[in-house]
Amino acid sequence: MTTDNLRKIPFFGKLWEQIEAMPPPVTEDSLLLRILVQLLVIVGIVATDVASEENLNLWAVPVSIVGATWSWYRRRDRNVAAKFCIAIGMLVALFAFFSRLVGELNDTRLVLAQLLIQVQVLHSFDLPRRKDLGYSMVIGLILLGVAGTLSQTLTFGPLLLLFLALALPTLVLDYRSRLGLSQLDKTKQNVEDQDKKNKNWSLFAATLSPKSFGLLLLITVGLGLTIFAFLPRLPGYQLRTFPVSAPIEYKGEFDSRSILNPGYVRGGNQKGSGTGRGRNPDKGPGEVDSTFYYGFNQRINQNLRGEMTPQVVMRVRSQAAGFWRVLGFDKYTGQGWEISRNEKAQKINRPRWSYQFYLNPFPNAPRTQEVIQSYTIVAQLPNLIPALNKAKELYFPTTDVAIDAEGGLRSPVELAEGLTYTVISNVPYRDRDLLDKTGTDYPKNIRKFYLDVPPKIAAKVRAKTEEILLARTRVAKSDRAIDSPYEKALYLAQYLKQNPNYKIEKALPYLEENEDLVESFLFGYQNTQGGKNITGGYPDHFSTVLTIMLRSIGIPARMVGGFDTGEFNPFTGLYIVKNTDAFLMTEVYFPNYGWFAFNPIPGYPLIPASVEDNQTFSALESFWKWVAGWLPTPLRSGLDSVIGFVIGWISLIVGWFLAQLTKGWVGLFTGLIAAIAFGFMGWLIWQLWRKWRYRRWLGKLPPVEGVYQEMLKDLASRGFAKTRAQTPLEYAEAMRQNQGTDEADVIEEVSQAYVRWKYGGEMGNLNQLRQLVENLRKSHLKQLKKRWF
């Protein structure tokens, strides 16, 4: 349809006339500003694709360049037909946005970014005004922000620095354009056409030289990193929309009993649920898989040898560090563990319109903290879903999941690369004083499944355990034996961790069919070469031994497998978890409080990280650990104590304020009053410090100059500051127009005395000068009293 035909349509004809009647837009003639804005948009588009790890929007880069070029050459035209086409294109983009939104309600960030990119591409074909370029700058900034929320690696960092390097000169040119300096330069300068073409570049060079630009960029980055390091990590999310992958459709019936671990093969060559590349699916010698952890299965064999090759398997964004629990075992088989009630795994469904599964909304501990975790799978994992202890809600892309008798979560499919899901857990607090008083009144169901010990080793292990506990009492020279289950579990775990007789052995012999792992660990392997009696074992063996030792003295315990916290990246806020972070740990049951973990493996903390560990200034702590690695040990130890003390107090104050916000209106007003009081105290300390610094500065000056400077400060506080261009006598003469006769005479006399000392070395009468300055201050105070009273 031609332009003339559009004019004949009644609605479009009137709209066309109105557009043509409007005054022409004020164009932006700075070519360099347009180029920099376009580069900002390109960086935003590329950053979005890099962060999402998909090439969905790269087409927009060349198209937007074409649009920006076209709009530069057509910047003085009305471009009415182009505006109509842009409007139609935006309607199409909006329709496509709503179509995609229906299928991506779980995470709308990428969908919104795509809409913004499409709008920017259309917008690039009509950029006559500086305000239009401002819209493009904002779009580039928003795209970079979206990329920041999507990014899980440091590949986003160089793009952020590049955006900052482009934004600084862009803001300078934009500010000059707002002030109209470009037009002013144009009217003042009468240059040739070639000079006009290069005006933008010379303007940029004159405004922000490479040296100034580099210094400004360095200062900006430094301030940003400093603020980032001191920025506290608040313990709560304000939004309740959590990231989840797109829906996963699977064929067939979901068998909640099945555990799909790609690392387990039967017979050495087929996928299945065996125990590794061994001869027997239940027990016997074999080798661990180099990629997949052997402990994630219904039945595990701890008579396997070998090591895994380190590989990142998932990234976790969590409000608190912790042990990413995968599954639990209740039955000891002599050389491994199994889930005895695997068939009792309960299937849970979710509605089609929501991704939310309700798992355990009623916590069984007196005090818990809600912790939200978002997991992104990087390498394929079994269909077991890692989560912090006591998960109450799960946001997962399948329509079904299952939860077994040991609290492990299962998916109908293996966790594939790129899968994202979110878990909300009610993590119980670990109060040692309360757990120490729980007693031994265990429920029947707990006694039935978590006190079982093989009969042939029960007496021997119990005797060894009681001997260890009795020896501890003798060493401590105490008449009171360890009587609480918590103290016993704590001491036994510490004993296994620190006892030199039990070490992590890499060259460990295989167990024979009739041998028991716990017995061999504690008392030595029978089939050792050269008659050497080896005690100890692999890391997971320590947890097995602790679990059976606790059971032997009547304390319910079980094995749990999962991933250690991983390495925290302060720049991304994510925990980077590897397959080698997987291990087994002991959980002990305490009446009315539930299960709590103990880690007897050497090299690991005795108590796993949990909500008790402060994470408020984790970024600053991570940075300090990096710096401390370069310092001598004595200096590092001293600074560790000081920084730990400061961070501890700051965290305590921040935690108290955040706790007040949860107590309703009373807590809110209490927090506000405390904040005002802290602010006033801070202001008072600041004023006293400034006053001390000023007095110290005056004390270093020659006496006459000190008196003169004190007078100038008093007059400046009244609004009569002396400029640098004024001489002392010119300033005194100017004061006669603003002060009374007596005050003006005092100012002139002190100024004359200062000039005589400055240029003639005459000291004058210091006591008299000080008295004159004091009288000048008192006269000002009298005037204020008369004015107010």
Side-chain angles (χ1 to χ4, degrees):
M1 183 179 291
T2 63
T3 303
D4 294 334
N5 292 333
L6 282 174
R7 292 173 182 267
K8 294 178 181 179
I9 301 176
F11 173 76
F12 285 104
K14 291 184 179 180
L15 186 60
W16 199 295
E17 292 176 359
Q18 292 179 1
I19 293 176
E20 287 186 333
M22 294 173 62
V26 179
T27 60
E28 175 56 61
D29 293 324
S30 175
L31 178 60
L32 181 58
L33 177 58
R34 288 174 174 268
I35 292 175
L36 289 175
V37 169
Q38 184 61 33
L39 290 175
L40 288 178
V41 173
I42 291 174
V43 172
I45 295 172
V46 174
T48 304
D49 271 9
V50 169
S52 63
E53 299 180 355
E54 298 179 4
N55 297 324
L56 298 176
N57 306 301
L58 289 180
W59 62 269
V61 174
V63 178
S64 62
I65 292 175
V66 172
T69 304
W70 186 86
S71 64
W72 163 257
Y73 287 105
R74 304 273 300 184
R75 65 188 184 278
R76 302 192 187 281
D77 300 331
R78 294 185 180 277
N79 302 319
V80 179
K83 287 183 171 64
F84 275 107
C85 293
I86 291 172
I88 295 172
M90 287 188 175
L91 291 176
V92 173
L94 190 62
F95 175 78
F97 163 72
F98 283 113
S99 300
R100 291 193 303 269
L101 189 63
V102 174
E104 299 289 342
L105 288 175
N106 54 300
D107 191 356
T108 59
R109 292 173 295 176
L110 197 55
V111 178
L112 289 169
Q114 290 176 345
L115 173 64
L116 208 58
I117 290 172
Q118 293 165 2
V119 170
Q120 168 57 31
V121 170
L122 294 169
H123 180 62
S124 65
F125 282 87
D126 186 35
L127 298 174
R129 299 170 296 178
R130 181 198 53 75
K131 183 169 66 174
D132 297 314
L133 295 175
Y135 295 150
S136 297
M137 292 166 59
V138 172
I139 288 176
L141 181 61
I142 294 174
L143 290 175
L144 193 76
V146 172
T149 63
L150 292 172
S151 177
Q152 295 187 352
T153 63
L154 288 179
T155 54
F156 174 73
L159 292 172
L160 178 61
L161 292 176
L162 179 59
F163 188 90
L164 179 61
L166 292 171
L168 292 177
T170 304
L171 292 174
V172 170
L173 293 177
D174 180 72
Y175 185 65
R176 290 182 63 90
S177 178
R178 289 172 183 270
L179 295 178
L181 296 181
S182 299
Q183 296 296 327
L184 184 62
D185 293 339
K186 188 176 180 180
T187 57
K188 288 183 177 180
Q189 298 179 4
N190 185 14
V191 294
E192 297 179 355
D193 293 341
Q194 186 62 31
D195 293 334
K196 290 182 179 179
K197 291 180 181 179
N198 296 328
K199 179 173 71 68
N200 289 306
W201 299 98
S202 61
L203 174 63
F204 171 68
T207 304
L208 195 62
S209 64
K211 181 179 179 181
S212 301
F213 167 71
L215 181 61
L216 181 59
L217 180 62
L218 185 63
I219 293 174
T220 305
V221 173
L223 286 175
L225 291 175
T226 304
I227 294 172
F228 174 80
F230 283 92
L231 195 67
R233 297 178 65 203
L234 300 180
Y237 283 9
Q238 301 301 317
L239 300 177
R240 304 295 293 189
T241 302
F242 307 118
V244 184
S245 296
I248 298 176
E249 300 293 338
Y250 56 91
K251 297 180 181 179
E253 184 69 18
F254 173 30
D255 183 4
S256 61
R257 301 169 299 174
S258 175
I259 296 178
L260 310 174
N261 190 335
Y264 282 84
V265 293
R266 286 186 184 273
N269 56 11
Q270 295 180 353
K271 277 192 175 183
S273 57
T275 60
R277 296 195 296 271
R279 299 175 303 180
N280 191 294
D282 298 330
K283 56 184 177 180
E287 296 180 3
V288 299
D289 188 89
S290 62
T291 303
F292 297 94
Y293 179 59
Y294 81 100
F296 298 154
N297 201 44
Q298 175 190 347
R299 184 182 293 109
I300 62 171
N301 177 13
Q302 293 189 287
N303 199 16
L304 305 178
R305 304 293 181 257
E307 296 181 355
M308 289 189 298
T309 303
Q311 176 185 3
V312 176
V313 293
M314 64 181 184
R315 305 187 189 102
V316 184
R317 187 182 302 276
S318 176
Q319 298 169 289
F323 178 71
W324 319 119
R325 192 180 187 275
V326 176
L327 80 172
F329 302 94
D330 63 327
K331 184 178 180 180
Y332 176 60
T333 63
Q335 294 184 6
W337 292 84
E338 70 175 352
I339 305 173
S340 66
R341 295 172 289 170
N342 188 56
E343 71 282 353
K344 294 188 178 296
Q346 181 182 0
K347 192 183 299 184
I348 303 176
N349 308 103
R350 65 167 174 82
R352 288 284 180 181
W353 59 86
S354 173
Y355 289 87
Q356 186 179 34
F357 293 91
Y358 289 98
L359 305 173
N360 182 24
F362 305 105
N364 60 352
R367 185 186 177 199
T368 62
Q369 177 175 315
E370 181 183 274
V371 179
I372 301 172
Q373 321 116 60
S374 293
Y375 299 79
T376 299
I377 306 303
V378 179
Q380 186 178 11
L381 289 176
N383 66 320
L384 302 170
I385 304 174
L388 280 183
N389 192 23
K390 300 300 180 186
K392 70 170 183 175
E393 296 178 29
L394 171 66
Y395 295 79
F396 203 76
T398 60
T399 55
D400 303 282
V401 296
I403 182 169
D404 61 29
E406 309 303 330
L409 303 176
R410 304 181 185 181
S411 164
V413 295
E414 295 176 359
L415 307 188
E417 179 182 353
L419 174 70
T420 299
Y421 65 93
T422 299
V423 181
I424 304 179
S425 301
N426 276 331
V427 180
Y429 276 89
R430 192 184 194 115
D431 191 322
R432 180 171 179 173
D433 294 333
L434 296 178
L435 294 175
D436 198 33
K437 303 174 183 177
T438 54
T440 59
D441 186 16
Y442 302 116
K444 181 179 179 180
N445 195 50
I446 295 296
R447 296 197 305 269
K448 179 179 179 181
F449 293 101
Y450 304 107
L451 290 175
D452 181 55
V453 180
K456 77 170 188 175
I457 66 167
K460 194 174 183 180
V461 174
R462 181 172 61 253
K464 179 67 173 178
T465 305
E466 291 175 347
E467 177 188 342
I468 294 170
L469 295 174
L470 182 61
R472 185 265 183 191
T473 304
R474 291 173 181 172
V475 171
K477 297 180 180 181
S478 174
D479 296 332
R480 186 179 67 86
I482 303 176
D483 53 2
S484 74
Y486 187 85
E487 291 298 327
K488 290 179 180 179
L490 201 64
Y491 179 73
L492 289 173
Q494 189 72 29
Y495 175 85
L496 292 175
K497 184 187 293 288
Q498 295 182 347
N499 193 307
N501 295 323
Y502 304 118
K503 299 178 181 178
I504 295 179
E505 297 287 349
K506 294 185 178 181
L508 198 66
Y510 285 104
L511 294 169
E512 297 297 334
E513 187 173 352
N514 62 342
E515 289 185 282
D516 185 273
L517 170 64
V518 175
E519 184 180 20
S520 300
F521 182 100
L522 290 173
F523 306 104
Y525 285 80
Q526 297 178 8
N527 56 349
T528 57
Q529 298 178 358
K532 184 179 179 182
N533 187 27
I534 298 178
T535 56
Y538 274 19
D540 287 350
H541 296 177
F542 284 78
S543 301
T544 293
V545 172
L546 175 62
T547 305
I548 298 303
M549 291 177 75
L550 290 170
R551 287 186 175 189
S552 70
I553 57 175
I555 298 176
R558 67 183 178 188
M559 287 282 280
V560 292
F563 294 96
D564 194 21
T565 304
E567 182 181 357
F568 179 69
N569 188 328
F571 294 99
T572 62
L574 299 172
Y575 296 96
I576 310 302
V577 183
K578 299 179 180 179
N579 56 351
T580 50
D581 290 324
F583 62 90
L584 298 175
M585 190 167 49
T586 301
E587 277 189 346
V588 182
Y589 181 82
F590 299 95
N592 301 320
Y593 288 87
W595 297 91
F596 288 87
F598 296 82
N599 191 349
I601 302 175
Y604 287 88
L606 180 63
I607 304 300
S610 189
V611 293
E612 298 88 4
D613 299 323
N614 179 35
Q615 301 290 318
T616 306
F617 296 97
S618 55
L620 181 60
E621 291 174 1
S622 299
F623 177 74
W624 165 245
K625 289 179 181 178
W626 178 78
V627 173
W630 300 86
L631 300 177
T633 302
L635 179 60
R636 182 172 66 246
S637 300
L639 291 176
D640 274 337
S641 302
V642 174
I643 292 177
F645 176 79
V646 173
I647 291 179
W649 271 102
I650 294 176
S651 301
L652 184 65
I653 294 172
V654 172
W656 183 85
F657 274 108
L658 295 175
Q660 298 305 311
L661 298 179
T662 63
K663 297 180 180 180
W665 288 105
V666 176
L668 180 62
F669 281 112
T670 303
L672 288 175
I673 293 172
I676 294 172
F678 273 111
F680 176 75
M681 290 176 59
W683 174 83
L684 188 61
I685 293 172
W686 169 254
Q687 294 299 321
L688 292 174
W689 183 75
R690 288 185 60 189
K691 187 175 181 180
W692 174 80
R693 280 193 61 195
Y694 176 71
R695 290 296 176 187
R696 186 181 178 187
W697 175 70
L698 283 181
K700 294 180 179 180
L701 295 177
V704 177
E705 185 178 2
V707 173
Y708 180 69
Q709 292 294 339
E710 194 171 356
M711 182 190 71
L712 292 182
K713 186 176 184 300
D714 179 62
L715 293 173
S717 65
R718 308 183 200 180
F720 305 109
K722 175 182 174 296
T723 64
R724 290 189 177 185
Q726 288 178 312
T727 65
L729 298 181
E730 288 175 345
Y731 177 70
E733 184 65 26
M735 286 297 98
R736 288 195 174 276
Q737 303 175 6
N738 302 298
Q739 304 290 334
T741 304
D742 295 338
E743 288 82 1
D745 291 340
V746 170
I747 295 172
E748 183 174 0
E749 185 173 349
V750 174
S751 298
Q752 290 282 1
Y754 172 72
V755 171
R756 288 193 296 270
W757 167 81
K758 184 77 173 176
Y759 300 103
E762 183 180 342
M763 292 297 295
N765 191 337
L766 288 175
N767 292 330
Q768 182 181 358
L769 293 176
R770 290 193 180 100
Q771 188 62 43
L772 290 174
V773 172
E774 183 66 22
N775 293 338
L776 185 66
R777 184 183 300 108
K778 289 180 179 179
S779 66
H780 176 62
L781 292 176
K782 289 181 181 179
Q783 293 176 5
L784 291 178
K785 287 181 180 180
K786 290 180 180 179
R787 186 179 303 172
W788 288 100
F789 302 103

